[in-house]
Amino acid sequence: KVRIPKYCKSINFKIKLLPPNTILETNTIITAKKAVFHQLVKPVSALVIENPGIVHTQSEMFSVIWNSLLNTS
């Protein structure tokens, strides 16, 4: 069982967990106009994409993954 920090419950966070064997080497940040990929392993780097079509696709891919995961909170 996963322990959810109290602050996550108090400010309406939604938390879902990826399968246990998932290993990601990047952070992904998606905003309305940008997708940012931040590599966590050396060489540490970041890629900012501002192409509306690519940003939309990344947002849709996030939604598909998010909706396929089970709720934990």
Side-chain angles (χ1 to χ4, degrees):
K1 184 174 177 168
V2 176
R3 198 180 108 226
I4 307 297
K6 289 181 183 179
Y7 69 86
C8 290
K9 295 177 184 178
S10 66
I11 54 177
N12 200 24
F13 271 75
K14 291 190 179 185
I15 298 172
K16 296 187 180 188
L17 301 176
L18 295 171
N21 294 330
T22 303
I23 299 172
L24 300 175
E25 295 182 346
T26 61
N27 284 327
T28 303
I29 302 142
I30 304 167
T31 68
K33 295 185 179 187
K34 296 181 184 180
V36 180
F37 302 93
H38 171 232
Q39 182 169 294
L40 303 171
V41 295
K42 291 184 179 181
V44 175
S45 63
L47 172 67
V48 179
I49 298 175
E50 298 183 68
N51 177 292
I54 295 173
V55 172
H56 176 75
T57 297
Q58 290 300 312
S59 180
E60 289 296 312
M61 289 173 54
F62 176 86
S63 294
V64 168
I65 294 168
W66 180 264
N67 292 329
S68 71
L69 297 171
L70 299 174
N71 288 323
T72 61
S73 52

